[in-house]
């Protein structure tokens, strides 16, 4: 199947876009306050909860959803399922945008951000630090992702007579040759840092025994694949809604076969681990920890159940709902590990300050703006098949 | 081990001190020159002279977190301006053990510290005498040390635009001058004393042997969390977890994390091999594939 990506076209400054931009600006303003006056004025962070919602939401969940690029690269380039090729570029763009949120959020969160320039200094590296591994991999991966997306830019620019056009004509083919090197990195790095995002908490004595485990790296890796594939299904549904694109009716049902298998592996590992450690009893304790644990499991099972059966996977509405449920499952598992499952030493409480929420909203909204601009102006999404009509531009 | 060696060989190019640090950071036994403190809860009268002196020596502001408690400097817990605190334990209900007892909190100077394992660029590291020290110029303010330390010791200045981590550094500047820490120097009851870890351990066991009915039969920190350089004795009938010294087992806290990381990465060999394999597969697949959407 030969596919061609095309710019979607249409006006950029629609009402939806302006609303998102406004949210983005509010976020940026609050970030300004944080850099001038420190974290305390706009966050509820404390010594008992040194990590608030920014890390789980903007880094761990955003990159989980952003694992679509990883998941697709794995499928197309490693398992050689060429038929999914049309999905790679939009997936990579989503990933690039999502990972950029993560990177930006970390910079806002770091107390002594001006020392970040020392990160590349190899002789300072502490090889035991899981966080160092996460940082180095994520920073490199953001670059890798934008390089992987960039053929869309070079293609978009190459027909122009400007200097940018000339550069694109020169650079595009050369990049093309080197791309396998980048693609392989694009599979290696997420494998490392997505597992390390879970591995971060192996060292913590504050994580509730329902979540603390030596299998955290593997569980995080599986959960990012669940979220990644589900994210693609969700993205497909959303681009149809927001941009009036025809939905992928061939590939999506096939893609939707994967998550239930991953969920099965996740659950076997999760329950097996708890059983082996003799912690199953904790699941019957009527407290908030057991509640959130079962909520995770419920979302995972509901999402998977919706996807069983060929006919069911062909139903776009059902698929969308399943994808949503599975993303929520992955997100909740990650949120629990980073926040809800934390049992601090002493009498500490945390609920996000409004500004923490608005900074997150702002970052996500800006990411949405970037996504829209890119797909409207550059060839990312698959061209509409002949006959399919473009519905509306929101 | 492999991974460390790999990173070390990279590190050699940069600096020799990093080598020494990596070797020290994972030391499983106490280094011979390790110093520490011994706190004997049966001697402490809760006068808090150590707390006052610690604040003065480290140029820390009077507590500012609990202004509601009045004008006194009455810290109730460790915070950015409080590197040591005396806490009162009160018995609830009947049972064995004393009705009240004091305990002193500060950094434990673990033999295999979780905070040091966590810290990306080595802002927290074990230096002379095995003391865990902080160098702000290497700290990026990630607060992973707060997630890692099982004793809740590192504290962060959230209210500042140029924040730091604050923790007891066993009065390192004083040690380098050949003096003892401020808190041990001023303690009127010698409830907290300074010395080589080995000597303190011997002293603690001597006290247990001499007055077995006075003490809870264990030296906290001898093996706990892989061993710490600050050691504790409690009065008879009072287990340590009651006074906030958690039951962590004898394995060091970063042990699980370090072992799993090590076996996953095998000195960066696994990632390198994986990369080579991925590259091979990507290239082969690209050759056999038609309709490449990257083709421009
Ligand atoms: S008590 Fe905490 S801060 Fe002190 S050395 Fe141990 S892990 Fe580090
Ligand atoms: S906050 Fe600073 S000292 Fe603590 S782990 Fe991060 S870089 Fe190290
Ligand atoms: S050793 Fe120094 S810094 Fe540590 S508690 Fe004692 S006086 Fe304070």
């Amino acid at each position: 199947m030969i596919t061609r990506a095309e710019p979607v076209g249409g006006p950029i400054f629609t009402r939806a876009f302006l609303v998102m931009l406004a949210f983005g600006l509010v976020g940026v303003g609050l970030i300004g306050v944080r850099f001038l006056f420190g974290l305390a004025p706009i966050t509820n962070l404390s010594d008992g909860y040194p990590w608030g919602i920014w890390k789980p939401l903007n880094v761990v969940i955003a990159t989980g959803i952003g694992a679509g690029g990883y998941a697709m690269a794995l499928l197309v380039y490693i398992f050689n399922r060429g038929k999914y090729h049309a999905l790679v570029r939009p997936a990579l763009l989503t990933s690039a945008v999502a990972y950029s949120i993560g990177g930006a959020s970390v910079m806002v969160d770091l107390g002594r951000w001006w020392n970040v320039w020392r990160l590349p200094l190899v002789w300072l590296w502490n090889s035991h630090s899981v966080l160092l591994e996460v940082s180095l991999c994520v920073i490199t991966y953001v670059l890798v992702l934008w390089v992987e997306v960039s053929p869309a830019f070079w293609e978009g620019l190459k027909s122009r007579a400007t200097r940018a056009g000339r550069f694109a004509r020169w650079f595009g083919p050369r990049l093309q040759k080197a791309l396998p090197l980048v693609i392989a990195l694009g599979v290696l790095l997420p494998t490392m840092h997505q597992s390390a995002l879970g591995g971060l908490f192996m060292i913590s004595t504050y994580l509730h025994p329902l979540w603390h485990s030596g299998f955290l790296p593997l569980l995080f890796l599986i959960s990012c694949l669940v979220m990644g594939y589900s994210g693609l299904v969700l993205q497909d549904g959303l681009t149809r809604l927001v941009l009036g694109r025809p939905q992928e009716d061939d590939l999506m049902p096939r893609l939707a076969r994967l998550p239930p298998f991953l969920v099965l592996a996740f659950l076997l590992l999760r329950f097996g681990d708890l059983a082996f450690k003799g912690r199953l009893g904790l699941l019957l304790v009527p407290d908030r920890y057991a509640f959130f644990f079962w909520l995770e499991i419920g979302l995972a099972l509901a999402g998977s159940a919706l996807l069983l059966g060929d006919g069911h996977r062909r139903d776009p509405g059902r698929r969308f709902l399943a994808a949503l449920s599975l993303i929520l499952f992955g997100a909740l598992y990650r949120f629990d590990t980073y926040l809800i499952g934390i049992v601090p030493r002493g009498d500490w409480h945390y609920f996000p300050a409004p500004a923490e929420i608005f900074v997150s909203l702002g970052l996500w909204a800006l990411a949405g703006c970037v996504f829209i601009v890119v797909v409207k102006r550059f060839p990312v999404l698959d061209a509409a098949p002949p006959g399919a009509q473009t519905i509306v531009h929101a | 081990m492999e991974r460390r060696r790999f990173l070390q060989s990279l590190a050699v190019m940069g600096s020799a001190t990093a080598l020494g640090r990596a070797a020290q950071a994972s030391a499983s036994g106490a280094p011979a020159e390790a110093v520490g403190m011994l706190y004997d809860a049966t001697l402490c009268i809760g006068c808090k002279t150590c707390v006052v002196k610690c604040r003065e020596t480290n140029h820390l502001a009077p507590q500012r977190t609990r202004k509601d408690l009045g004008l006194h400097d009455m810290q109730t817990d460790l915070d950015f301006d409080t590197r040591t605190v005396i806490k009162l334990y009160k018995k609830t209900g009947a049972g064995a053990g004393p009705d009240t007892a004091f305990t002193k909190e500060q950094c434990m100077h673990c033999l295999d510290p979780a905070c040091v394992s966590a810290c990306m660029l080595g802002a927290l590291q074990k230096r002379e005498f095995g003391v865990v020290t902080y160098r702000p110029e290497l700290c990026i303010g990630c607060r992973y040390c707060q997630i890692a330390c099982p004793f809740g010791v590192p504290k962060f200045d959230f209210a500042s635009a140029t924040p730091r981590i604050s923790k007891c550094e066993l009065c390192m500047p004083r040690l380098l001058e050949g003096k003892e820490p401020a808190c041990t120097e001023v303690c009127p009851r010698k409830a907290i004393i300074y010395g080589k870890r080995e000597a303190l351990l011997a002293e603690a066991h001597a006290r247990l042997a001499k007055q077995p009915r006075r003490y809870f039969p264990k030296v906290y920190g001898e093996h706990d969390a892989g061993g710490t350089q600050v050691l504790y004795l409690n009065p008879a009938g009072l287990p340590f977890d009651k006074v906030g010294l958690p039951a962590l087992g004898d394995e060091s806290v970063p042990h699980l994390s370090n072992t799993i990381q090590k076996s996953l990465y095998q000195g960066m060999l696994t990632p390198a091999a994986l990369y080579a394999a991925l590259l091979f597969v990507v290239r082969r697949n690209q050759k056999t594939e038609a309709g490449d959407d990257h083709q421009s």
Side-chain angles (χ1 to χ4, degrees):
Chain A
M1 180 179 15
I2 306 220
T3 52
R4 288 295 310 158
E6 268 185 5
V8 175
I12 299 258
F13 291 98
T14 59
R15 206 171 336 138
F17 187 89
L18 289 175
V19 171
M20 297 213 298
L21 201 61
F23 270 104
L25 290 180
V26 171
V28 170
L30 289 168
I31 289 172
V33 174
R34 175 260 169 273
F35 280 116
L36 287 177
F37 302 107
L39 286 161
I42 69 159
T43 70
N44 283 342
L45 297 176
S46 62
D47 285 324
Y49 282 98
W51 290 358
I53 55 163
W54 286 344
K55 276 213 171 67
L57 208 58
N58 306 343
V59 184
V60 188
I61 294 176
T63 65
I65 296 173
Y70 168 50
M72 281 326 289
L74 207 59
L75 207 57
V76 171
Y77 297 116
I78 307 302
F79 295 111
N80 207 16
R81 299 288 187 271
K83 56 178 170 289
Y84 294 111
H85 219 141
L87 303 180
V88 171
R89 221 179 247 187
L92 285 174
L93 179 62
T94 309
S95 299
V97 166
Y99 268 84
S100 302
I101 300 182
S105 175
V106 166
M107 284 305 285
V108 176
D109 191 54
L110 286 179
R112 301 174 62 81
W113 48 272
W114 60 90
N115 276 339
V116 164
W117 71 269
R118 286 193 168 89
L119 268 183
L121 305 183
V122 176
W123 59 91
L124 290 176
W125 289 358
N126 168 15
S127 60
H128 288 295
S129 173
V130 187
L131 192 60
L132 177 73
E133 182 191 335
V134 172
S135 317
L136 293 173
C137 282
V138 169
I139 292 170
T140 322
Y141 188 54
V142 173
L143 298 178
V144 165
L145 278 168
W146 284 110
V147 171
E148 283 184 298
V149 176
S150 74
F153 297 116
W154 311 130
E155 272 171 40
L157 290 173
K158 76 177 176 210
S159 54
R160 300 196 190 168
T162 57
R163 192 173 297 174
R166 239 174 299 140
F167 179 77
R169 280 191 296 279
W170 176 84
F171 188 69
R174 278 171 180 74
L175 177 64
Q176 202 56 48
K177 284 226 176 67
L179 217 49
L181 290 170
V182 181
I183 291 171
L185 257 189
V187 176
L188 177 70
L189 292 174
T191 313
M192 285 168 70
H193 69 242
Q194 282 296 335
S195 55
L197 279 175
L200 275 181
F201 274 90
M202 289 191 300
I203 204 172
S204 183
T205 49
Y206 304 117
L207 184 56
H208 191 275
L210 279 180
W211 285 274
H212 190 270
S213 160
F215 285 110
L216 275 166
L218 193 51
L219 289 166
F220 264 63
L221 193 61
I222 301 177
S223 70
C224 96
L225 287 171
V226 175
M227 291 173 83
Y229 288 120
S230 309
L232 291 171
V233 175
L234 200 73
Q235 178 188 352
D236 181 66
L238 280 178
T239 39
R240 178 198 174 96
L241 269 175
V242 177
L243 297 172
R245 302 289 296 183
Q247 201 150 2
E248 280 293 343
D249 279 330
D250 254 9
L251 297 179
M252 282 302 154
R254 296 174 141 275
L255 196 65
R257 276 193 308 206
L258 293 172
F261 287 106
L262 292 164
V263 167
L264 184 68
F266 181 95
L267 293 181
L268 286 177
L269 198 60
R270 194 89 166 79
F271 281 99
D273 181 39
L274 289 175
F276 184 74
K277 296 208 188 86
R279 292 181 184 168
L280 285 177
L282 291 173
L283 296 178
L284 302 175
V285 182
D287 60 4
R288 67 175 171 139
Y289 303 107
F291 171 80
F292 280 102
F293 177 93
W294 286 115
L295 194 57
E296 281 172 25
I297 305 298
L299 286 166
L301 289 178
S304 308
L306 282 171
L307 289 177
L308 296 180
D310 236 0
H312 288 159
R313 284 193 294 271
R314 296 208 161 274
D315 176 350
R318 203 178 166 106
R319 216 162 54 211
F320 189 84
L321 212 62
L324 195 64
S325 170
L326 288 176
I327 286 185
L328 285 177
F329 147 68
L332 184 63
Y333 171 62
R334 288 165 171 239
F335 203 74
D336 285 347
T337 309
Y338 271 69
L339 204 53
I340 292 177
I342 296 295
V343 189
R345 186 190 152 94
D347 191 23
W348 297 95
H349 302 278
Y350 171 81
F351 193 82
E356 283 178 85
I357 296 171
F358 275 102
V359 165
S360 302
L361 277 179
L363 287 173
W364 287 71
L366 281 182
C369 292
V370 173
F371 186 88
I372 288 179
V373 171
V374 175
V375 297
K376 284 195 171 171
R377 289 292 172 264
F378 294 93
V380 172
L381 294 184
D382 205 19
Q389 57 180 19
T390 305
I391 311 167
V392 278
H393 290 296
Chain B
M1 210 50 73
E2 273 303 312
R3 179 167 189 234
R4 209 178 71 223
R5 212 175 294 146
F6 168 79
L7 287 172
Q8 279 179 2
S9 53
L10 282 177
V12 176
M13 295 179 261
S15 123
T17 57
L19 256 173
R21 188 175 80 223
Q24 261 187 347
S26 66
S28 46
E33 85 284 6
V35 298
M37 303 194 288
L38 170 62
Y39 175 78
D40 188 332
T42 67
L43 296 176
C44 179
I45 50 170
C47 67
K48 299 186 184 174
T49 312
C50 53
V51 180
V52 174
K53 193 66 189 173
C54 173
R55 203 190 283 299
E56 189 187 303
T57 310
N58 293 296
H59 312 289
L60 299 167
Q63 61 96 21
R64 55 184 176 181
T65 45
R66 296 295 306 273
K67 290 268 189 280
D68 53 314
L69 290 180
L71 283 174
H72 322 279
D73 189 7
M74 281 235 304
Q75 61 295 310
T76 50
D77 209 340
L78 296 180
D79 62 39
F80 181 76
D81 292 311
T82 310
R83 295 187 184 180
T84 188
V85 71
I86 295 288
K87 286 186 176 174
L88 172 68
Y89 156 84
K90 263 193 187 153
K91 184 159 78 180
T92 47
D99 290 340
T100 62
F102 294 104
T103 195
K104 181 177 184 293
E105 283 184 10
Q106 74 293 302
C107 174
M108 303 290 285
H109 298 279
C110 308
L111 293 181
D112 186 7
C115 62
V116 170
S117 255
C119 187
M120 291 199 233
L121 300 180
L124 289 170
Q125 46 183 279
K126 260 176 126 55
R127 282 174 48 206
E128 292 90 339
F129 320 115
V131 172
V132 178
T133 53
Y134 174 65
R135 289 170 62 193
E137 71 276 15
L138 297 179
C139 170
I140 59 168
C142 65
R143 314 186 290 282
Y144 190 30
C145 50
Q146 298 195 291
I147 302 279
C149 170
F151 299 100
V153 167
K155 299 296 179 192
F156 192 72
D157 193 7
F158 289 93
S160 163
T162 56
R164 291 176 175 221
I165 286 288
S166 173
K167 70 179 270 303
C168 155
E169 300 176 66
L170 212 74
C171 287
M172 188 60 144
R174 292 175 57 98
L175 299 190
L176 291 175
E177 288 170 15
K179 294 192 207 149
E180 65 177 304
C183 57
T184 60
E185 188 185 72
V186 297
C187 178
R189 298 267 299 161
K190 291 282 160 250
I192 181 105
I193 57 174
Y194 166 79
K196 290 228 167 180
R197 183 176 186 268
E198 270 172 34
L200 294 174
L201 206 51
E203 170 66 21
H205 279 292
R207 289 185 196 180
L208 287 185
K210 207 166 149 205
Q211 290 175 286
R213 299 187 40 195
R214 179 184 174 101
Y215 291 104
F216 186 82
K218 171 186 162 84
V219 183
Y220 189 94
E222 179 173 13
H223 302 295
D224 303 78
T228 57
Q229 287 173 221
V230 178
L231 305 165
Y232 284 79
L233 286 174
N234 250 8
L238 186 59
F240 289 97
D241 57 348
K242 291 241 165 112
V243 296
L245 290 164
L248 294 167
D250 291 352
E251 202 79 83
S252 86
V253 169
H255 183 261
L256 171 75
S257 170
N258 288 351
T259 323
I260 291 185
Q261 285 289 108
K262 195 175 76 190
S263 54
L264 284 181
Y265 286 88
Q266 300 291 342
M268 291 312 275
L269 280 180
T270 326
L274 190 59
Y275 183 68
L278 288 170
L279 197 57
F280 174 77
V281 176
V282 170
R283 274 187 188 284
R284 196 200 57 201
N285 288 349
Q286 266 202 338
K287 273 188 205 127
T288 60
E289 190 185 329
D292 186 346
D293 104 326
H294 280 295
Q295 236 128 56
S296 38

